[in-house]
Amino acid sequence: MSSEEPQRLQRYLARCGVASRRACEQLIVDGRVTVNGRVSDELGAKVMPGVDAVAVDGRPVVPPAQFATLVMNKPKGVLTTMDDPQGRPTVASLVPTDRFPGLYPVGRLDGDTTGLLLFTNDGKLGNGLIHPRRHVAKRYLALVEGAPDEAQLRSLREGVLLDDGPTLPASVRVLPPREARAQAAQLDWHLRGGNRIVELAISEGRNRQVRRMLAHIGHPVVQLHRSQLGPLCLGGLEPGCWRLLTEAEVDDLRRKAEGC
Ligand code: URA
């Protein structure tokens, strides 16, 4: 279920450390490169990293042990852990740990929460992103019981006192009816008469924080979905699917993780 992009052969060879891109082009036109056992001597050829078998002079070209960072749309009922001693369904079965050993989830979503979950095998990146001082923004959609009023929304914006301390200011709005209906349809949520969908952006990652914040103002969460993490969105990924981040997205995250 990967949506990794195919790469030009010369770029792939260079990224695998075979030689400079120019020298790799020469290897290709010299007919020294094979893809899946056949000579590939055209510079326009593309390969799918990790799928196509590439060799130079008959010697396999193996991608270096590489960092991988990906986003997944976590389905409901799947635990955010790579190993559950009780054998319940976990996100581990949904990500390509065979191709990218060491992948782990950055932060967590409750079993019942759906949406954007980031994975990496780059510990520096992952630890930087969850560091409390970084305040990486997380945006959620919550279907709540009843309709929060303006005073309740204001209290969330200013911060509410939970049992583990006050929350930082949040950004929050109730979706207008048409937008709420569209979101409910997209997320397969049942939007009953008096209930509302609240969009909430927080910059902390405390345990069950969104559920506790909304319960605190008297509007318990019925359904919860994370739609955004820092600059990342799901962009149409179906539940259970993942995509590798682009280099630009990873660079952006690295800057956030380093506090730039
Ligand atoms: N806040 C929650 O309450 N649950 C989640 O899964 C994520 C944020």
Side-chain angles (χ1 to χ4, degrees), residues 66-72 96 100 103-104 106 117-123 125-126 129 229 232 242-247 249-251 253-254:
Q66 50 183 303
F67 285 143
T69 302
L70 57 92
V71 277
M72 185 180 80
F100 305 114
L103 278 179
Y104 71 96
V106 178
L117 189 59
L118 184 73
F119 289 80
T120 190
N121 55 7
D122 177 348
L125 176 64
L129 286 171
L229 174 71
L232 298 174
W242 56 270
R243 71 172 176 88
L244 284 174
L245 298 192
T246 63
E247 274 176 54
E249 286 174 317
V250 174
D251 288 346
L253 283 185
R254 254 186 239 294

Side-chain angles (χ1 to χ4, degrees), residues 109-110 113 140 208-211 224:
L109 294 176
D110 302 333
T113 305
Y140 295 88
R208 298 177 74 81
Q209 182 168 347
V210 174
R211 292 175 198 271
L224 186 61

Side-chain angles (χ1 to χ4, degrees), residues 13-258:
L13 291 172
R15 293 188 77 191
C16 292
V18 171
S20 69
R21 184 147 353 161
R22 198 172 288 262
C24 290
E25 288 176 354
Q26 196 58 51
L27 290 173
I28 294 169
V29 295
D30 288 346
R32 295 169 60 186
V33 180
T34 56
V35 176
N36 299 325
R38 307 176 77 160
V39 172
S40 181
D41 55 6
E42 283 179 24
L43 290 178
K46 289 191 170 176
V47 290
M48 187 61 95
V51 175
D52 289 315
V54 179
V56 176
D57 295 334
R59 274 194 301 275
V61 173
V62 184
Q66 50 183 303
F67 285 143
T69 302
L70 57 92
V71 277
M72 185 180 80
N73 185 354
K74 185 184 108 45
K76 197 167 175 159
V78 173
L79 300 181
T80 306
T81 174
M82 297 306 277
D83 177 35
D84 180 53
Q86 295 173 49
R88 292 168 294 183
T90 73
V91 293
S93 64
L94 301 173
V95 288
T97 43
D98 44 349
R99 266 174 71 194
F100 305 114
L103 278 179
Y104 71 96
V106 178
R108 64 181 289 281
L109 294 176
D110 302 333
D112 275 353
T113 305
T114 59
L116 196 156
L117 189 59
L118 184 73
F119 289 80
T120 190
N121 55 7
D122 177 348
K124 187 169 174 224
L125 176 64
N127 291 336
L129 286 171
I130 57 171
H131 194 287
R133 269 209 304 272
R134 296 289 176 261
H135 296 309
V136 176
K138 299 157 194 88
R139 189 174 297 275
Y140 295 88
L141 291 168
L143 172 63
V144 299
E145 283 180 21
D149 63 26
E150 204 32 57
Q152 292 169 322
L153 296 181
R154 195 173 332 115
S155 70
L156 291 178
R157 287 185 193 116
E158 290 168 358
V160 289
L161 185 57
L162 301 179
D163 52 13
D164 55 355
T167 59
L168 289 176
S171 124
V172 57
R173 71 181 179 118
V174 172
L175 298 194
R178 184 197 285 248
E179 195 179 342
R181 281 195 298 274
Q183 282 293 356
Q186 200 175 331
L187 292 168
D188 212 11
W189 287 354
H190 242 55
L191 187 56
R192 289 210 186 79
N195 293 351
R196 296 288 183 272
I197 295 181
V198 173
E199 187 181 57
L200 185 73
I202 59 174
S203 55
E204 304 166 274
R206 284 147 61 175
N207 191 31
R208 298 177 74 81
Q209 182 168 347
V210 174
R211 292 175 198 271
R212 289 190 292 140
M213 287 171 78
L214 289 161
H216 182 87
I217 61 158
H219 295 280
V221 167
V222 181
Q223 302 276 11
L224 186 61
H225 175 83
R226 180 153 72 190
S227 57
Q228 211 175 327
L229 174 71
L232 298 174
C233 297
L234 282 172
L237 269 184
E238 293 293 325
C241 293
W242 56 270
R243 71 172 176 88
L244 284 174
L245 298 192
T246 63
E247 274 176 54
E249 286 174 317
V250 174
D251 288 346
D252 207 4
L253 283 185
R254 254 186 239 294
R255 280 191 290 275
K256 294 235 160 359
E258 284 158 18

